Structure formats: structure tokens, C-alpha cells
Amino acid sequence: MRKNILMRSVAVVSGLAMLASLAACGDNTSGSSNGSSSSSSAEKISGDFQGAGASSQQSAVEAWIASYQATNPDAKIAYNPVGSGAGVTTFLTGATAWAGSDASLTSEQVDKSKAVCADNTTAFDIPAYISPIAVVFNLNGISGQDKHLNMDADTVAKIFDGKITKWNDEAIAKQNPKVTLPDTSITVVHRSDKSGTTQNFVSYLKDAAPSSWTYDLSENWPNEVGQGGKGTSGVISTVKQADGTIGYADASQAGDLGTVALKVGEKYVPYSAEAASKVVDASPLDESATGENRVVVKLDHNTTADGAYPLVLVSYDIACPAYKDANTAKFVKSWLTYVVSKDGQDVAAKNAGSAPLSDTMRAKITKSIDAIKTE
């Protein structure tokens, strides 16, 4: 899995043009198993289109844009990685064509979307980007790319709740008997902004360590422990600045920081795209996510599946099934068709280290995209 991704749009365009030519770039009329359609028969898209939301998706979205525009040069697409909460809020004002969010829509947000979606319809959310959330740390002499410390969920929860404050605490030491841990203070770094990554992280702690993590589920950091960083890049930057820091972020941006291998069953599993996929495919859909066309995954954070990594981010793309502007509807249907296609998912995997959607999940998602009205 690639870790320290530096996006270069020109390089991506040249390297991925052939892939993009296979992607669905017009209305979603394909019934193929990989979600692709021939661009030669697809309607070309033109116009200016804005998206905003999850910073976790940024590397993938930049690659998708470059590849998509290779066959739709008249489509001018911009994505502002302002964070999940701000992205959804902006979408609900009608200012963007779609939003990216690391948290599924709330019932209140679904109801509010009636104001921006046409024909009295409500917005829907579909998985577009799946990636492990890495627990990253910076510890002199121990951290580094592909270097791990073993921890169970209870230990992680106590660190982020300020109950474990030293790196050589017995709870950490007994899980890492071959590592000489320093008597260094732990500095927790968390998201300062409203974040779906935060919600996914604390959801894991709440499910896997309920006795040690008692806070309500929220996109906002729930306690006063540590210091905040804005966006994924802000957390990574803050962790890198000092010895003894620990934080959480989309794994694509872990870079040369150390990461935590989480205990699953009797083994410790480091993050990987393959390990993340195992959890998603084994998890059911969330039946409480009411509303037409919604595909929301209820992650099984307590999985004991061999080789599964339970701390996973499922980032959603949010759109309307009907738009007040027909050209926007055509773009969104075309764009989402490409994003979730096998080709689009391969582009994200190569450039952001994400876990591609399975064919089973893609089939469910495609039904929702098919429902977008373009006339």
C-alpha cells in the first residue's frame, strides 16, 4: 500500500488516460459488472462543477478529476477538501453538485436536502472511497514508515481519553515486549474541525472498547485531551512536529510516521487496503439509514476475521436523485458512475492507497446512481 502520496495532476493525466477512456463519462447506461461503459458512445460532459467535503478523499478526488477530464476536457471540476461537516453543509445550501463525507447523512440532513433536490426528492449517500484509518505516532527511535506498535482497542481508547499518558506505560509495554519504550509523555492530536474521520474513529472506540470510551458518537472531538489539527493534513502536520505525539488520520497520508497494529482476535493487524476490504465486505448495511437510494455500511468493529483491520473509513459521496439544473444532473450521474467503476476505484487505489469496492457493493451502489434523473 502506498503511503506518502504526492499528487501531480499532469503525471496522473498522462499515466491514467487509457484507464479513463474506459470509464463511464456520460449517463449511466452500463450494466457491466465493473460499472464501466464505453466513452465512445457516451455523451460528453461540459460545464463548471463544484464539490466539497472530506479531506480524506482529496488524493483520490484529484486523481479522479484528472482521469475523468482526460475524456471530458470541457468539464471543469473543482473539489474543496473543507472537511465532511462543512462539505455537507455547503451541499445543503445548493452551492455544490455533490459532497464527500466520512459520515453518512443524519435524518435531519436528509430532510433538509428537500430544499436543494428537485421533484420533492431527498439526497442519498453511497460509498465511494474506502480506506483504513491509521493511528499514527511520532516517537524518536521507534516510529518510521512500515514500523508498528501493537495495541488493543482498550489501550487506544485510554490514550485518547488521557488515562494513559506515558509511552512506557505497562499497557503498551506488555503488548510490545521486544520494544524499549521511552519515558516520554504522550501528546494526543485530534481533529479540530467537524469530521467524519473523527466519527469513524470514535465509533470504533465505542464499539470495541465500550468500558473505556463512554462518549456519545459525534463528528466533533468529545473531550479536552490533547490538541487539534484542522483537516487530515493538519493532524499529520501536528503529529510530525513533536516527539511523543499520536493521532488518527486517513491511512493514505500516514507517510513515514509509525502506525498502530490493532488487536483482532489473538493477532495484531497493521492497516492495509486488503485488511480494510475484509471488514467492509463482511459488514451489513445500516437498516436505520432511512431514505430512498441510500447505501450505508454498518461496520463490524468487533470482527475477529483473520487478517481484518477493523478501523476503517467508509467515505460517501452525497448527491440528489433529481436536480433543478439538468446539466448538473448529467454531470453527477456521469461522475459518480466513473468514481465507483472498477477503473475509477483502481485509479484511487493506485494514487491514494484505498481499498477498491467489491463487485457486490458496486452493484448495490449502481442502482442508486441509475436513479438520478437527467431529463
Side-chain angles (χ1 to χ4, degrees):
M1 175 169 178
R2 297 180 60 183
K3 304 234 177 120
N4 190 15
I5 305 300
L6 298 174
M7 298 306 306
R8 297 180 176 90
S9 294
V10 174
V12 172
V13 171
S14 61
L16 302 174
M18 184 171 293
L19 283 176
S21 68
L22 299 174
C25 299
D27 291 351
N28 180 15
T29 57
S30 172
S32 63
S33 62
N34 68 5
S36 301
S37 63
S38 172
S39 60
S40 62
S41 61
E43 179 182 356
K44 299 299 182 183
I45 302 297
S46 63
D48 294 335
F49 308 101
Q50 306 289 324
S55 58
S56 60
Q57 289 192 31
Q58 183 177 1
S59 294
V61 173
E62 288 176 356
W64 286 329
I65 290 173
S67 186
Y68 182 90
Q69 288 180 326
T71 50
N72 289 273
D74 294 326
K76 309 304 179 186
I77 309 166
Y79 181 77
N80 188 359
V82 292
S84 300
V88 173
T89 298
T90 303
F91 172 78
L92 292 175
T93 68
T96 56
W98 91 99
S101 176
D102 297 340
S104 59
L105 294 168
T106 65
S107 297
E108 182 182 6
Q109 289 168 337
V110 171
D111 188 60
K112 284 184 177 179
S113 70
K114 291 179 181 179
V116 295
C117 297
D119 299 342
N120 199 38
T121 58
T122 55
F124 64 91
D125 31 15
I126 54 171
Y129 175 83
I130 297 171
S131 177
I133 296 175
V135 180
V136 295
F137 65 90
N138 184 12
L139 193 57
N140 286 343
I142 295 176
S143 61
Q145 189 168 353
D146 296 326
K147 293 185 177 180
H148 312 291
L149 283 177
N150 296 331
M151 294 188 195
D152 56 24
D154 193 66
T155 300
V156 176
K158 288 177 179 177
I159 289 173
F160 281 86
D161 199 25
K163 296 171 183 174
I164 293 177
T165 60
K166 293 285 188 177
W167 279 102
N168 62 351
D169 186 281
E170 183 182 358
I172 303 174
K174 69 180 181 181
Q175 296 177 80
N176 298 275
K178 297 181 180 180
V179 181
T180 301
L181 294 163
D183 185 33
T184 302
S185 295
I186 296 174
T187 300
V188 167
V189 181
H190 55 79
R191 287 284 288 267
S192 61
D193 53 327
K194 189 176 182 180
S195 164
T197 306
T198 294
Q199 180 166 314
N200 278 270
F201 178 60
V202 300
S203 178
Y204 163 72
L205 297 179
K206 190 174 180 64
D207 289 347
S211 62
S212 295
W213 193 265
T214 58
Y215 301 100
D216 292 335
L217 197 61
S218 172
E219 291 181 278
N220 295 306
W221 187 247
N223 62 32
E224 301 300 319
V225 176
Q227 55 186 286
K230 186 175 182 180
T232 303
S233 60
V235 170
I236 293 295
S237 176
T238 304
V239 170
K240 287 181 175 181
Q241 286 175 10
D243 182 34
T245 50
I246 189 169
Y248 58 92
D250 183 83
S252 67
Q253 298 192 40
D256 57 1
L257 293 168
T259 59
V260 171
L262 296 172
K263 191 173 185 181
V264 177
E266 296 303 314
K267 298 179 180 179
Y268 292 93
V269 182
Y271 79 83
S272 71
E274 295 76 17
S277 291
K278 287 186 178 183
V279 173
V280 174
D281 283 346
S283 298
L285 294 182
D286 189 348
E287 295 181 356
S288 69
T290 56
E292 294 295 323
N293 305 311
R294 300 184 67 194
V295 181
V296 178
V297 179
K298 187 175 179 61
L299 287 169
D300 181 8
H301 292 128
N302 289 306
T303 182
T304 57
D306 186 49
Y309 182 83
L311 180 50
V312 175
L313 177 150
V314 178
S315 197
Y316 297 86
D317 275 0
I318 296 166
C320 289
Y323 285 83
K324 297 173 183 177
D325 176 71
N327 196 47
T328 299
K330 290 178 181 178
F331 162 72
V332 172
K333 192 169 189 175
S334 169
W335 169 253
L336 293 182
T337 296
Y338 170 65
V339 164
V340 306
S341 71
K342 186 178 186 302
D343 298 325
Q345 290 292 297
D346 285 347
V347 166
K350 290 174 182 176
N351 288 276
S354 58
L357 295 165
S358 67
D359 289 342
T360 300
M361 181 62 70
R362 183 180 296 107
K364 297 173 183 178
I365 293 169
T366 299
K367 291 180 181 179
S368 298
I369 299 173
D370 280 342
I372 298 176
K373 299 177 182 179
T374 56
E375 294 181 358

